[in-house]
Amino acid sequence: MPVNPDLVGQEFPPTAAYLVGREKVREFARATFADDPQHHDQDAARALGYADVVAPPTFAMVIQDFTIHQLLNAPNSGIELQNLIHAEQKFRYSRPIVAGDELTATLSVTGLRAMGPATMINSETTIVDANGDHVVTAVSVLLAGEASA
């Protein structure tokens, strides 16, 4: 089954709020070798004007992942996880993610492009804070092989 072309333009419901924890930020920073002090030390972050430790830029992927699961679980999507490759990722930030942020995310499928037996799926996940203010938009390209019948 090919990827369902009706996904284009579809916007999924906002995710449940995700409270960014200080230790999660530190764990993510260690895992991604982000050694800058603002990712680990509250005082260093505060010296830079932030309320708490600052998440590395790719931390937005943690929140975006909830929306990708919505896409993968969409009925009749034609997308199977075992046939999927994460092909490209970009982030457009309004401000950094900081421990204590409560974030929600909304994914929109912005385009599909057939490439032989595979389909490139373009999506944007808009992540906002508890006030509804934009924090970051995560732009992804997934490459989906044709699902089994």
Side-chain angles (χ1 to χ4, degrees), residues 16-59:
Y18 178 91
L19 179 59
V20 178
R22 184 179 303 132
E23 291 309 315
K24 285 293 184 189
V25 169
R26 289 175 174 151
E27 290 168 1
F28 190 89
R30 280 193 300 276
T32 58
F33 303 101
D35 296 330
D36 292 330
Q38 70 268 21
H39 302 309
H40 303 275
D41 182 351
Q42 279 181 278
D43 292 334
R46 286 183 178 141
L48 294 172
Y50 300 105
D52 209 316
V53 292
V54 178
T58 55
F59 186 86

Side-chain angles (χ1 to χ4, degrees), residues 1-143:
M1 181 169 95
V3 173
N4 185 346
D6 291 340
L7 288 173
V8 177
Q10 185 170 346
E11 182 175 302
F12 290 83
T15 61
Y18 178 91
L19 179 59
V20 178
R22 184 179 303 132
E23 291 309 315
K24 285 293 184 189
V25 169
R26 289 175 174 151
E27 290 168 1
F28 190 89
R30 280 193 300 276
T32 58
F33 303 101
D35 296 330
D36 292 330
Q38 70 268 21
H39 302 309
H40 303 275
D41 182 351
Q42 279 181 278
D43 292 334
R46 286 183 178 141
L48 294 172
Y50 300 105
D52 209 316
V53 292
V54 178
T58 55
F59 186 86
M61 189 63 207
V62 171
I63 294 97
Q64 182 191 25
D65 185 58
F66 296 111
T67 65
I68 297 293
H69 281 271
Q70 289 176 315
L71 174 62
L72 295 177
N73 292 322
N76 303 317
S77 70
I79 303 169
E80 290 185 2
L81 182 59
Q82 68 268 16
N83 299 331
L84 194 66
I85 297 171
H86 193 173
E88 186 176 321
Q89 183 73 53
K90 296 178 185 173
F91 300 101
R92 294 191 304 258
Y93 273 90
S94 293
R95 66 166 179 84
I97 295 172
V98 176
D101 279 338
E102 192 171 308
L103 304 173
T104 57
T106 305
L107 180 138
S108 298
V109 177
T110 57
L112 300 177
R113 187 174 74 172
M115 296 183 61
T119 302
M120 295 186 81
I121 305 164
N122 298 321
S123 68
E124 290 192 4
T125 298
T126 303
I127 299 173
V128 299
D129 64 19
N131 296 322
D133 295 329
H134 180 265
V135 176
V136 58
T137 298
V139 180
S140 287
V141 178
L142 304 172
L143 182 62

